Amino acid sequence: MKKKWIAVMLAICVAAITGCGSKTVKTGNKQLEEAVYNDDSISLAEYTGLGAEKKIYKVTEEAVAGAVQEQLEEYAEYKTVARASKTGDNVYVDYTAKAGGKVLDQEENYYFTLGDEEFGAAFDEQLTGVSKGEQLQFSLEFDQDFGNDAFAGQTVVFEITVGKIETEILPEMTSEFLKQNFGYDTYDQFRASVQTQVEQEYEAESTDQLQEDLLKQVIDASSVLQYTQEEYDEAAETVDSFYAEYAEMFGQDMETIYDTFEVTEESLEEEIMDELYRRIVVDAIIKNEQLTLNDEEYESGIAYYMEQNEYTSREEFVNDYGEDEIQERLLEDKVLQLLEQSAKVTQIEADYEG
């Protein structure tokens, strides 16, 4: 079912803030008896000294090898082969997927990388050992929670004509190749740098999870008393922008993206309210702590987010995001760091599942 009402609902006030921005919505919540900060919008719960667990992810040989593979794949070449397909190959096909005689999906010259299990392991098995020109017909049962909504809970009949089969050829890791592309003289140096990157990525993700857990504790314990329509509209616009980025990334319209993410009217409203309450709580902590940004913090923050978002031009970055949004992001970072630094953290070893 297409979610046209979602785009309409998001647009109603976002496009006309001046018409409804002055309205104040009372939540009916009561002030906390032991709040650390109160204003018209919120009764803020204690946010320092909270308890939380921080996952310390194990860096395995398999994870480092996978990261090395990913970097080398940027320099890979692909060669058409005349043999039968095997794991790792790209198999190009024309396919039609049907259920109950109805076409669910249809593509021409589409490739599946065997092993990625885009349509599941059983589908990849059917495409393993096939050759160019073969025609296949088979049916597969998909669970209700399968990621492709069109297939979920259905018995799908696939009709497939196999096109070309490509194999991936990774570059030979000679000293010359490593020096020219990565700046290292030996494979050991290159691998050590990749392991450091994996460790840093795991630590960053673990820290993000910890900070979000702490902030959620504060949100859940606090009492939001009221908010303006303009604040609601801004939260709705943020949620809409999240899905719009995916729409642009995959070249799809918003209705398709909402379907893909299984967005319902209720779940969308919940996302908006979560974003709204998050903003109110963060703003209250900023006010209570009187947090500000000096010039050095602002510039180092811009440099950090330029690197994270692969910008080379400061002017372009600021124009794209706007100074207000950048400052809000950097102040929120200060809030999250404050929560983490004051928390009682227990570290636990964990397997990385990202």
Side-chain angles (χ1 to χ4, degrees):
M1 175 181 176
K2 299 301 183 184
K3 310 293 192 302
K4 293 183 180 179
W5 47 265
I6 294 179
V8 172
M9 191 177 90
L10 282 169
I12 287 173
C13 283
V14 172
I17 286 177
T18 55
C20 54
S22 60
K23 180 181 177 182
T24 298
V25 179
K26 304 285 186 180
T27 65
N29 296 331
K30 305 298 183 183
Q31 279 197 350
L32 302 177
E33 291 184 3
E34 297 183 0
V36 298
Y37 172 84
N38 284 296
D39 63 18
D40 291 340
S41 296
I42 189 171
S43 188
L44 182 65
E46 178 60 67
Y47 52 84
T48 60
L50 303 177
E53 291 182 344
K54 180 178 182 180
K55 294 179 180 179
I56 305 301
Y57 292 116
K58 304 171 190 173
V59 178
T60 64
E61 291 293 324
E62 182 181 4
V64 177
V68 168
Q69 176 86 1
E70 285 182 10
Q71 295 211 21
L72 291 179
E73 283 177 348
E74 295 185 15
Y75 301 90
E77 296 180 355
Y78 295 89
K79 178 182 178 182
T80 301
V81 293
R83 57 166 172 77
S85 62
K86 62 182 182 180
T87 299
D89 287 344
N90 295 332
V91 180
Y92 284 78
V93 301
D94 298 338
Y95 77 86
T96 301
K98 300 179 181 179
K102 177 185 177 182
V103 175
L104 304 178
D105 193 12
Q106 193 170 34
E107 292 287 349
E108 293 184 356
N109 200 36
Y110 187 90
Y111 77 86
F112 294 91
T113 301
L114 300 186
D116 283 0
E117 301 182 1
E118 182 176 345
F119 285 174
F123 183 89
D124 278 12
E125 288 175 12
Q126 293 286 342
L127 287 186
T128 301
V130 301
S131 300
K132 180 179 179 179
E134 275 193 50
Q135 293 185 333
L136 310 174
Q137 181 171 326
F138 57 87
S139 62
L140 296 174
E141 293 184 7
F142 291 89
D143 293 335
Q144 287 286 354
D145 59 355
F146 185 68
N148 185 319
D149 288 348
F151 297 169
Q154 302 212 59
T155 298
V156 180
V157 177
F158 291 94
E159 297 174 357
I160 294 176
T161 299
V162 179
K164 67 179 179 179
I165 297 169
E166 284 185 342
T167 188
E168 181 181 68
I169 302 175
L170 294 178
E172 187 178 351
M173 287 182 284
T174 63
S175 297
E176 181 181 359
F177 171 80
L178 292 172
K179 185 70 173 180
Q180 180 179 349
N181 294 286
F182 301 106
Y184 297 103
D185 295 316
T186 67
Y187 172 75
D188 287 342
Q189 292 175 341
F190 169 61
R191 187 191 179 285
S193 75
V194 172
Q195 178 165 338
T196 298
Q197 290 174 25
V198 174
E199 291 169 350
Q200 291 172 342
E201 289 170 6
Y202 282 10
E203 171 61 22
E205 185 163 336
S206 176
T207 298
D208 287 345
Q209 291 170 345
L210 170 64
Q211 291 177 344
E212 290 300 322
D213 177 28
L214 292 167
L215 181 56
K216 187 176 187 306
Q217 289 185 50
V218 183
I219 295 170
D220 291 344
S222 298
S223 181
V224 173
L225 308 175
Q226 66 179 35
Y227 55 87
T228 66
Q229 185 64 53
E230 183 174 353
E231 289 172 325
Y232 178 92
D233 294 341
E234 290 173 352
E237 191 170 11
T238 296
V239 173
D240 187 44
S241 296
F242 168 81
Y243 292 112
E245 288 180 8
Y246 278 97
E248 182 178 357
M249 184 187 308
F250 296 114
Q252 296 177 330
D253 58 37
M254 291 291 284
E255 293 175 7
T256 303
I257 291 297
Y258 287 135
D259 278 341
T260 300
F261 281 88
E262 299 182 357
V263 177
T264 65
E265 185 173 6
E266 292 75 19
S267 69
L268 182 72
E269 178 64 16
E270 185 176 341
E271 285 188 62
I272 294 171
M273 295 307 295
D274 285 347
E275 174 65 22
L276 174 61
Y277 278 34
R278 177 194 179 94
R279 287 167 174 250
I280 292 172
V281 167
V282 167
D283 187 55
I285 296 174
I286 291 171
K287 290 176 181 176
N288 194 42
E289 294 289 333
Q290 299 181 352
L291 297 178
T292 58
L293 292 170
N294 59 39
D295 290 343
E296 182 180 353
E297 290 170 330
Y298 181 67
E299 291 302 326
S300 65
I302 287 180
Y304 171 78
Y305 282 109
M306 281 179 60
E307 181 179 357
Q308 292 296 305
N309 293 280
E310 300 181 348
Y311 277 81
T312 56
S313 166
R314 182 188 184 282
E315 181 180 2
E316 183 181 355
F317 176 76
V318 173
N319 285 339
D320 284 351
Y321 288 92
E323 291 189 356
D324 289 344
E325 183 175 337
I326 294 170
Q327 290 178 7
E328 288 174 7
R329 175 72 253 189
L330 296 179
L331 284 171
E332 181 178 304
D333 287 347
K334 278 193 142 184
V335 168
L336 293 171
Q337 290 161 11
L338 184 154
L339 298 181
E340 178 188 3
Q341 291 164 3
S342 68
K344 300 172 184 176
V345 179
T346 302
Q347 295 187 345
I348 58 170
E349 279 198 354
D351 295 323
Y352 184 72
E353 299 177 353

